Amino acid sequence: MLLQADNISKTFFRNTGSANYFYAVSPLSMEIRPGTVTVLTGRSGSGKTTLLNMLCGILQPTEGRVLMDRTDLYSLDDAALSRFRNEHIGVIPQARSAVDTLTAEENILLPARLYGKDPPAEKARRWMENFEIAHLAGVFPRELSGGELRRMAIIRAVIRDPDLLFADEPTGDLDDENTHRVLSALHDLAHGENKAVFIVTHENDAEKYADRVFRMDRGEVFPLA
Amino acid sequence: MKILPLSVKNLARKPGRTTALVLLTAFLALAVFGGSVITLSLRAGLRSLEARLGADIILVPSEAESKVSFRNMFLQGTTGAFYMDASVAEKALEVPGVEKAAPQTFLASLKADCCSVKIQVIGIDPSRDFTVQPWIARSLKNELGDMEVAVGCKVGAGIGETIRIYEQRCKVTACLEPTGTGLDTAVYCNMKTMDTLLAAAEAKGVSHRISSGDDSVVSAVYIKVRDGYDIGDVNTALTGKLRKVTAVRTRSMLTGVSDSLAGISRTVTAMIVVIWVLAFVILLLAYTLIVRERSREFAVLRLLGASRNMLGRMALYESAVCGLIGGIAGTGIAAVGVFSFSALIEGSLGLPYLIPGFSTILCLAAGTILLSVAVSALTSAFAAWRLSRVNPGTALRDGA
Ligand SMILES: Nc1ncnc2c1ncn2[C@@H]1O[C@H](COP(=O)(O)OP(=O)(O)O)[C@@H](O)[C@H]1O
Ligand SMILES: [Mg+2]
């Protein structure tokens, strides 16, 4: 699936002296193609998360459109957009994102269960083994470390086999070995299964796994190398 | 229904939160159900009293005034040991405007060897009676024969059994419907049986003699005033004609009861309304806090593709279950309380108290439970609906 951002921007209220709003993301257009890994870097507060949220269908741009194979995401009603996200878009948010009343495995299978699909338990097990959290399947989130929760969230994002995968600083709380594991898994998804992968990261290493790298600064996006 | 299993897990895995919500609704259901049953019982008690008391005026010997409270005599059916000449009934009929005059004779049994409670024996004249006869007739097909008795529902004797009153054996031929008053511990017989019992009591040293020396005595005469006559005038005429007899108007008594009943009804209703308004506010507050505490959880669900609608349903299911369990528990506890302490409630109110029939109770219980579910569901759905407007991206930004 081809994702096209068509001149999108986001403003938030803030008194800047000259105006009472500011551009968290200045107007920009970009394409995210299947089979590629796109990496976005930039300093904290530069607007990376805001851009990612607009692209993945949970934050309506102030102006512009987000097209997914010609479907204008934000013209869909809530039920349709929600379902579309569930089926086609996987998101690994920057913040802690576990459902506390569900075990790690239940969290992972939740996206499938929301719409009554057969839970792909075999796939979940494979990924958990690969990420070394298989032994934590029945454990509740409050007993998991930040890194373990992060890996859980990653598996949950891919469990529905989405066409697009968004990851917001997915390796922030991982050690080197797991960072490598996660990034190469995302890379394999793009190149092995023709997914479009979009990663926001501080990690300089990440650029090794990237097909395209962008840098963000005060709401503006610049292509790198 | 894909969201339902999630609701179930949320309830089961947050037992503290679930218990608190269940307790809150249980308390509300308890108040509503208990209050309604008490109010309805009082209303039913008054209705049965009105139906039974067709009398406009009651004649009792003047000495009765010091021996019994007329109010209790009416409301609770308590009787006393006071007697006057049986001819009072005939004499009363000679007064213009008196349509019917039905005599009754009271006899308080000693601790009867039949029964756990001290019973009152009331002799009636079936051919003249219009006050208790219609009520007795509902349970008894034929007239009361000699040495036969109809017993109140709380006497504890069954049809066909024999009870002994002052050593006299009487056969129970009917058990009467409950009235919610002291009449439920009374035993009814005809005048001929009463004469035998009075004689037996006399032999035991319980005197009922009156100074006139006439053998035949009655305790009270119930008067029905002919249509078109003023009850006050008839009352005056009766007092003038009959010596050593007091005439009491029943209407004034019943009005008093109606008034205090209306007062109690109003108080209870007002209390129920206040409790529910309070409950609504408390529940809304509780659910708002809970939902806010869960804003991150809701945002994650949104992120994974749950629609606003689904989140609303999830909150609705959870609170409906809490409402249902709380409603059933509260209604159940109230039922146990109200029914097992009904004697106590009845006694402390001093008013006729007749618990409504099974089907009414069932409707009331169902209504209470439904209300609990509806209010819980409504308040939580409202809270969830408000929260789901918050953007999931924004909700997930806070912290971490
Ligand atoms: N909901 C919001 N309301 C107001 N300002 C916001 C909101 N979300 C983000 N911002 C601001 O927009 C800017 C970009 O934020 P963000 O996209 O989270 O940056 P990054 O992810 O690059 O650290 C920051 O200055 C932040 O304070
Ligand atoms: Mg960010």
Side-chain angles (χ1 to χ4, degrees):
Chain A
M1 252 185 189
L2 176 66
L3 180 104
Q4 291 171 293
D6 178 12
N7 219 23
I8 56 169
S9 64
K10 187 74 191 179
T11 54
F12 287 122
F13 284 104
R14 180 187 290 173
N15 211 329
T16 58
S18 55
N20 62 356
Y21 63 90
F22 80 107
Y23 277 95
V25 175
S26 304
L28 69 91
S29 298
M30 68 176 357
E31 276 189 1
I32 298 173
R33 293 192 199 89
T36 62
V37 176
T38 307
V39 164
L40 180 67
T41 63
R43 298 184 52 191
S44 177
S46 56
K48 303 184 297 296
T49 298
T50 306
L51 174 59
L52 182 142
N53 284 346
M54 289 193 289
L55 293 177
C56 73
I58 58 171
L59 183 66
Q60 173 138 30
T62 311
E63 278 174 297
R65 298 180 303 164
V66 176
L67 300 172
M68 194 84 75
D69 278 357
R70 300 216 172 69
T71 312
D72 181 350
L73 279 193
Y74 293 100
S75 68
L76 299 174
D77 66 18
D78 179 68
L81 177 57
S82 299
R83 187 162 197 138
F84 189 92
R85 277 205 313 269
N86 180 264
E87 283 175 3
H88 300 291
I89 304 176
V91 183
I92 303 150
Q94 185 172 6
R96 211 188 105 87
S97 66
V99 177
D100 291 331
T101 48
L102 301 180
T103 63
E105 187 178 26
E106 286 169 341
N107 260 283
I108 287 168
L109 298 175
L110 182 58
R113 290 217 166 105
L114 276 182
Y115 287 91
K117 301 282 184 261
D118 274 343
E122 184 45 41
K123 180 177 180 183
R125 184 135 297 271
R126 237 181 19 248
W127 276 76
M128 281 193 283
E129 266 157 22
N130 183 28
F131 281 180
E132 296 185 324
I133 54 168
H135 60 294
L136 302 172
V139 175
F140 285 94
R142 64 175 172 278
E143 292 162 32
L144 295 179
S145 75
E148 287 160 349
L149 285 172
R150 175 72 58 193
R151 283 172 276 165
M152 181 199 87
I154 294 169
I155 304 173
R156 191 177 58 188
V158 300
I159 200 72
R160 288 281 273 142
D161 211 17
D163 301 305
L164 276 133
L165 193 64
F166 291 91
D168 197 349
E169 311 208 8
T171 57
D173 31 28
L174 297 183
D175 55 46
D176 287 348
E177 196 186 331
N178 274 311
T179 298
H180 168 72
R181 237 187 227 128
V182 165
L183 291 177
S184 61
L186 295 178
H187 181 265
D188 291 350
L189 279 174
H191 293 275
E193 302 186 32
N194 204 35
K195 310 293 184 197
V197 177
F198 185 96
I199 307 173
V200 169
T201 184
H202 284 317
E203 211 74 44
N204 294 325
D205 280 2
E207 297 169 19
K208 285 195 302 210
Y209 302 88
D211 300 300
R212 288 192 302 164
V213 181
F214 292 96
R215 182 171 177 77
M216 199 161 186
D217 187 24
R218 273 173 276 175
E220 311 264 0
V221 174
F222 309 98
L224 270 187
Chain B
M1 279 294 187
K2 295 127 198 168
I3 206 83
L4 188 60
L6 196 58
S7 297
V8 173
K9 287 194 182 110
N10 286 337
L11 288 174
R13 291 172 182 177
K14 288 277 183 196
R17 185 172 77 196
T18 308
T19 310
L21 289 171
V22 166
L23 283 180
L24 196 58
T25 28
F27 171 71
L28 302 175
L30 189 142
V32 170
F33 184 74
S36 309
V37 169
I38 292 176
T39 317
L40 280 184
S41 299
L42 288 170
R43 293 225 176 99
L46 180 71
R47 235 178 288 121
S48 98
L49 185 73
E50 272 176 340
R52 224 175 42 246
L53 270 184
D56 299 310
I57 298 167
I58 300 183
L59 302 177
V60 290
S62 303
E63 53 155 12
E65 275 181 271
S66 61
K67 288 191 173 176
V68 70
S69 143
F70 293 136
R71 190 169 183 277
N72 285 350
M73 183 171 154
F74 265 125
L75 299 185
Q76 290 300 324
T78 37
T79 58
F82 45 79
Y83 302 97
M84 56 190 175
D85 198 286
S87 63
V88 169
E90 281 79 47
K91 285 186 188 147
L93 275 174
E94 292 164 10
V95 172
V98 173
E99 185 181 348
K100 292 174 183 168
Q104 288 189 1
T105 311
F106 308 147
L107 175 64
S109 84
L110 297 174
K111 190 86 146 283
D113 42 22
C114 67
C115 324
S116 49
V117 283
K118 196 176 165 203
I119 56 169
Q120 319 163 32
V121 188
I122 300 176
I124 57 171
D125 181 346
S127 64
R128 284 186 283 175
D129 179 75
F130 62 93
T131 59
V132 291
Q133 188 70 10
W135 167 54
I136 292 177
R138 281 211 292 274
S139 314
L140 181 67
K141 289 179 191 58
N142 312 314
E143 276 198 0
L144 281 168
D146 295 344
M147 299 317 279
E148 285 181 353
V149 290
V151 298
C153 63
K154 286 188 185 158
V155 171
I159 293 175
E161 285 179 34
T162 303
I163 61 175
R164 286 199 317 187
I165 304 166
Y166 292 108
E167 303 286 306
Q168 304 299 305
R169 290 170 182 282
C170 303
K171 188 175 169 228
V172 176
T173 54
C175 291
L176 302 171
E177 290 172 5
T179 64
T181 67
L183 293 181
D184 293 340
T185 58
V187 165
Y188 292 85
C189 61
N190 68 19
M191 285 298 190
K192 189 152 174 251
T193 310
M194 182 49 95
D195 285 341
T196 313
L197 294 179
L198 284 173
E202 186 78 26
K204 290 257 173 189
V206 181
S207 176
H208 60 274
R209 291 283 156 208
I210 50 173
S211 45
S212 73
D214 194 313
D215 261 2
S216 194
V217 293
V218 296
S219 300
V221 175
Y222 292 76
I223 305 284
K224 176 143 184 68
V225 173
R226 207 177 287 281
D227 282 348
Y229 282 83
D230 181 68
I231 297 174
D233 293 346
V234 176
N235 200 43
T236 316
L238 282 167
T239 321
K241 180 174 171 91
L242 303 165
R243 317 185 123 263
K244 291 207 240 162
V245 167
T246 303
V248 190
R249 288 187 58 175
T250 59
R251 182 49 58 186
S252 56
M253 219 85 64
L254 272 180
T255 314
V257 185
S258 288
D259 284 353
S260 61
L261 186 67
I264 291 175
S265 261
R266 260 199 306 277
T267 313
V268 173
T269 311
M271 256 162 56
I272 294 175
V273 169
V274 166
I275 286 172
W276 275 91
V277 169
L278 247 150
F280 197 81
V281 172
I282 292 172
L283 275 176
L284 195 60
L285 219 79
Y287 278 116
T288 305
L289 285 177
I290 286 170
V291 159
R292 187 169 304 166
E293 190 225 32
R294 296 174 70 179
S295 66
R296 173 168 287 277
E297 175 191 339
F298 278 37
V300 172
L301 288 167
R302 295 279 282 140
L303 195 72
L304 301 179
S307 62
R308 285 182 64 185
N309 205 324
M310 287 162 81
L311 291 190
R313 278 209 321 267
M314 184 178 84
L316 200 109
Y317 291 149
E318 288 175 31
S319 54
V321 169
C322 289
L324 186 68
I325 299 175
I328 291 174
T331 307
I333 295 167
V336 169
V338 168
F339 297 133
S340 55
F341 294 112
S342 70
L344 202 72
I345 297 172
E346 186 178 339
S348 63
L349 289 173
L351 289 169
Y353 185 84
L354 191 57
I355 290 175
F358 186 66
S359 56
T360 313
I361 293 283
L362 218 60
C363 285
L364 213 59
T368 307
I369 293 168
L370 213 72
L371 206 64
S372 310
V373 172
V375 169
S376 303
L378 222 71
T379 47
S380 82
F382 177 69
W385 172 79
R386 274 202 328 197
L387 186 88
S388 66
R389 299 180 71 93
V390 176
N391 185 279
T394 309
L396 270 177
R397 287 180 56 87
D398 324 324

